[in-house]
């Protein structure tokens, strides 16, 4: 039986792959991404289902259809109505761990006495200004036929930075952040250069002035952010701190060399982080390039590309000649679309330090990736054990900018000291708070290093006994 790719079927049904995957999930069919293969049978059922849906508005055609295809009639109408039902789902009401009865009543648009009556029915006796637990509130709301969802509690890190979870309605699409990985000399640097060049209009050519450790390109009106930090470092140092910054890993493999030790390392990093891989099969211009061998080797190392029945996209490129780069960029956007990357631009910024150094004339300089919120000149920030106030921000094109939204890499000036790559940063409401947080962090670091020395000397002591 032949198979149909999710994106192919989506195209046939006139919807995006993302939409189709959601529809499939509603039918309890789980697929990983747009490249996933579906049985032809499943594809047929879906086609019927959506034809039926379209025809629902047209009684006549529907009747005709019914007589034509008796066998699947029941199934499709049931499935179709199931889908309709889900689509008309109302938005869930957010209920916290505990909630005051009065507040709960307001929230669900019922009177306090209605709630109290329900409470009594559940054997719970509470007055208007008493608290009830989530479970109780949820069961009452469900009783009224409402959808509920538990509100995540505000998390406050031990140093007083509030990480308030974003409400779904505040989230906006954000660009993907990409790392390039692969064996030495397979062409990581050349590929990044080639990518940057595709995006330089002739007027700007030669105008890439600043190197800030990250770069952005625009493809079909959409931004893609590339981190210059070798992917391996980004993954090891940053992940050691629990930071996850990349959405997609580009695995560069030289077509004339194949899978090498650092290729394998890169594969395992990406897999451990759950980051999808796109293979850039580089140096295809070389006479001794052997793409088939590389694909074979990749499959032996757990990376199954499309041609081999897997999900991983493989794009042949020549970084040297600039071939295949547009295709690679398009594939990045395709995979990113599937990830539904989102962030909330309307709050104080947070993100990760990508690199940092002490500049003789400018003082401490750090390139940071804003991952959520918007960073503005004048903001007070905390980055690891360092604080400061943003004096200036420079983007990858070397331009001074006043604000940087989600998925923007910028170089910042104004820190008190040099933070470490991989440190988290947060913009905070005021300087004073930034200083307090950093003092607490520094005290903790001192304490930890004292403990470490104390431990070592005790061990040393015992060694000598
Ligand atoms: P990296 O160590 O992975 O960053 O690799 P580089 O980008 O420094 O490339 C290593 C060498 O391979 C350089 O001499 C490049 O000119 C060469 N190279 C990179 N990409 C290509 C390509 O597509 N074709 C050919 N023929 N050579 C390439
Ligand atoms: Mg390099």
């Amino acid at each position: 039986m032949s198979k149909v790719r999710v994106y192919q079927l989506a195209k046939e049904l006139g919807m995006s792959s993302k939409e189709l995957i959601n529809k499939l999930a509603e039918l309890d069919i789980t697929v990983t991404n747009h490249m996933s293969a579906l049985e032809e049978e499943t594809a047929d059922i879906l086609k019927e289902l959506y034809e039926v849906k379209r025809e629902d508005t047209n009684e006549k055609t529907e009747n005709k259809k019914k007589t034509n295809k008796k066998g699947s009639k029941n199934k499709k109408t049931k499935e179709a109505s199931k889908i309709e039902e889900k689509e008309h789902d109302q938005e869930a009401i957010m209920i916290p761990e505990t909630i005051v009865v009065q507040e709960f009543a307001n929230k669900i648009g019922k009177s306090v006495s209605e709630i109290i009556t329900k409470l009594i029915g559940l054997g719970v006796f509470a007055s208007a200004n008493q608290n009830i637990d989530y479970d109780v509130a949820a069961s009452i709301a469900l009783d009224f036929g409402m959808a509920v969802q538990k509100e995540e509690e505000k998390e406050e890190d031990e140093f007083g930075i509030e990480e308030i979870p974003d409400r779904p309605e505040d989230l906006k699409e954000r660009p993907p952040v990409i790392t390039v990985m692969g064996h030495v000399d397979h062409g990581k640097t050349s590929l990044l250069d080639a990518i940057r060049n595709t995006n330089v209009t002739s007027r700007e050519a030669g105008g890439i002035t600043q190197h800030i450790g990250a770069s952005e390109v625009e493809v079909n009106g959409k931004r893609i952010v590339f981190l210059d930090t070798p992917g391996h470092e980004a993954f090891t140092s940053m992940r050691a701190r629990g930071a996850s910054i990349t959405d997609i890993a580009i695995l560069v493999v030289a077509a004339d060399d194949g899978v090498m030790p650092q290729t394998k390392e890169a594969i395992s990093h990406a897999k451990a982080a759950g980051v999808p891989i796109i293979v850039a099969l580089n140096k295809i211009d070389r006479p001794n390039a052997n793409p088939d061998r590389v694909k074979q080797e990749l499959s032996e190392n757990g990376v199954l590309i499309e041609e081999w029945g897997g999900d991983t996209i493989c794009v042949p490129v020549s970084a040297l000649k600039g071939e295949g780069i547009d295709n690679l960029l398009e594939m990045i956007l395709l995979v990113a679309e599937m990830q539904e990357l989102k962030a909330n631009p309307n709050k104080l910024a947070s993100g990760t330090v990508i690199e940092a150094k002490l500049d003789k004339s400018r003082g401490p300089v750090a390139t940071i990736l804003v991952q959520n919120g918007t960073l503005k000149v004048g903001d007070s920030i905390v980055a690891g054990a360092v604080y400061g106030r943003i004096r200036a921000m420079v983007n990858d094109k070397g331009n001074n900018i006043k604000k940087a939204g989600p998925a923007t890499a910028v170089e910042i000036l104004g820190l008190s000291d040099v933070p470490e790559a991989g440190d988290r940063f947060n913009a905070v409401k005021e300087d004073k708070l930034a200083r307090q947080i950093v003092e607490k962090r520094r005290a903790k670091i001192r304490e930890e290093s004292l403990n470490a020395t104390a431990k070592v000397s005790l061990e040393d002591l015992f060694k000598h006994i």
Side-chain angles (χ1 to χ4, degrees):
M1 171 134 301
S2 66
K3 303 215 177 196
V4 183
R5 298 266 176 208
V6 166
Y7 76 92
Q8 290 168 332
L9 179 61
K11 209 169 173 184
E12 274 187 63
L13 294 173
M15 55 174 83
S16 73
S17 305
K18 203 157 62 183
E19 279 175 294
L20 178 57
I21 289 177
N22 290 338
K23 301 282 179 208
L24 286 165
E26 283 166 1
L27 299 170
D28 289 331
I29 301 169
T30 321
V31 292
T32 34
N33 61 29
H34 63 286
M35 287 308 301
S36 302
L38 293 167
E39 297 294 340
E40 207 173 15
E41 211 179 354
T42 316
D44 284 343
I45 294 177
L46 274 145
K47 278 188 220 164
E48 269 188 43
L49 223 85
Y50 286 100
E51 265 172 49
V52 168
K53 250 197 87 180
R54 269 177 237 142
E55 286 160 7
D56 267 350
T57 45
N58 187 337
E59 201 68 40
K60 263 186 229 156
T61 355
E62 159 127 313
N63 286 337
K64 207 169 97 198
K65 192 99 191 173
K66 269 181 193 161
T67 39
N68 286 347
K69 295 190 176 179
K70 274 187 213 146
S72 48
K73 190 191 89 182
N74 277 339
K75 188 172 186 180
K76 64 192 177 191
T77 39
K78 210 173 111 204
E79 299 272 44
S81 59
K82 192 171 146 194
I83 289 171
E84 297 270 27
E85 225 170 75
K86 297 240 173 165
E87 275 178 353
H88 292 141
D89 257 359
Q90 81 235 78
E91 220 171 277
I93 292 168
M94 305 297 287
I95 303 177
E97 185 66 45
T98 59
I99 186 167
V100 178
V101 171
Q102 174 74 64
E103 201 184 314
F104 175 58
N106 296 345
K107 203 162 200 160
I108 67 169
K110 299 282 170 193
S111 71
V112 171
S113 62
E114 273 176 295
I115 304 293
I116 291 181
T117 313
K118 289 275 185 198
L119 281 169
I120 294 169
L122 292 167
V124 178
F125 300 93
S127 62
N129 45 19
Q130 277 181 312
N131 269 313
I132 52 171
D133 285 345
Y134 167 81
D135 291 339
V136 175
S139 76
I140 293 175
L142 288 170
D143 226 25
F144 283 121
M146 296 166 191
V148 290
Q149 204 181 328
K150 194 165 183 168
E151 200 172 283
E152 295 294 322
E153 271 184 90
K154 280 185 185 178
E155 276 177 34
E156 200 170 288
D157 91 354
E158 53 185 314
F159 305 107
I161 295 178
E162 267 184 13
E163 297 255 1
I164 303 166
D166 294 303
R167 292 178 307 174
E169 62 266 36
D170 293 334
L171 295 173
K172 302 269 170 337
E173 194 183 328
R174 68 157 174 88
V177 179
I178 318 293
T179 353
V180 176
M181 297 203 276
H183 197 70
V184 63
D185 280 348
H186 277 200
K188 298 179 291 294
T189 305
S190 310
L191 183 67
L192 279 168
D193 287 345
I195 287 169
R196 268 186 226 113
N197 284 333
T198 54
N199 220 233
V200 179
T201 60
S202 50
R203 234 177 334 121
E204 281 179 329
I208 305 163
T209 47
Q210 195 91 3
H211 171 85
I212 68 156
S215 46
E216 261 180 33
V217 295
E218 212 175 285
V219 184
N220 306 333
K222 297 199 169 208
R223 286 201 294 135
I224 306 177
V225 180
F226 288 88
L227 300 182
D228 293 348
T229 333
H232 301 261
E233 264 173 57
F235 270 92
T236 37
S237 78
M238 306 218 178
R239 284 202 72 241
R241 289 179 169 79
S244 59
I245 52 171
T246 3
D247 302 306
I248 299 168
I250 304 296
L251 181 65
V252 181
V253 191
D256 60 347
D257 201 25
V259 172
M260 299 305 276
Q262 284 166 286
T263 321
K264 292 183 189 172
E265 197 185 290
I267 295 170
S268 62
H269 281 318
K271 289 207 164 171
V275 172
I277 291 174
I278 296 178
V279 176
L281 191 56
N282 192 30
K283 307 197 187 186
I284 44 148
D285 59 288
R286 284 258 169 105
N288 53 341
N290 189 347
D292 286 334
R293 201 193 81 209
V294 181
K295 288 170 191 172
Q296 161 85 39
E297 288 171 359
L298 282 168
S299 76
E300 284 161 9
N301 285 280
V303 177
L304 212 53
I305 64 158
E306 304 168 40
E307 269 173 68
W308 287 62
D311 290 343
T312 307
I313 294 174
C314 174
V315 185
V317 297
S318 167
L320 196 70
K321 307 209 157 177
E323 278 163 26
I325 307 297
D326 289 343
N327 194 11
L328 178 65
L329 294 174
E330 266 170 39
M331 290 303 139
I332 291 173
L333 286 179
L334 191 65
V335 173
E337 186 206 333
M338 302 310 308
Q339 294 177 307
E340 297 193 59
L341 304 166
K342 289 193 172 146
N344 175 4
N346 297 311
K347 65 174 192 179
L348 289 170
S350 59
T352 304
V353 175
I354 295 170
E355 36 177 72
K357 61 176 186 230
L358 188 62
D359 186 286
K360 261 189 236 139
S361 53
R362 298 185 298 165
V365 177
T367 295
I368 56 168
L369 174 71
V370 177
Q371 293 175 282
N372 209 352
T374 296
L375 189 64
K376 301 185 180 112
V377 168
D379 279 354
S380 302
I381 77 160
V382 175
V386 170
Y387 65 89
R389 185 179 232 185
I390 309 289
R391 209 167 64 220
M393 292 198 281
V394 177
N395 70 8
D396 65 311
K397 311 282 186 297
N399 300 324
N400 272 296
I401 54 170
K402 291 262 176 282
K403 50 185 185 176
T408 312
V410 278
E411 195 177 69
I412 55 168
L413 298 185
L415 292 173
S416 61
D417 212 333
V418 182
E420 281 182 59
D423 277 344
R424 289 281 302 165
F425 84 82
N426 289 80
V428 291
K429 284 194 199 92
E430 46 185 304
D431 282 353
K432 210 175 96 198
L433 185 59
R435 229 166 299 140
Q436 279 168 359
I437 293 166
V438 164
E439 271 158 26
K440 280 192 207 165
R441 284 184 181 172
R442 287 193 177 150
K444 186 160 183 248
I445 292 167
R446 269 197 303 275
E447 193 185 311
E448 275 171 2
S449 69
L450 273 177
N451 281 345
T453 8
K455 207 170 137 217
V456 168
S457 45
L458 263 180
E459 273 167 14
D460 283 349
L461 194 66
F462 284 117
K463 235 188 268 169
H464 295 294
I465 290 174

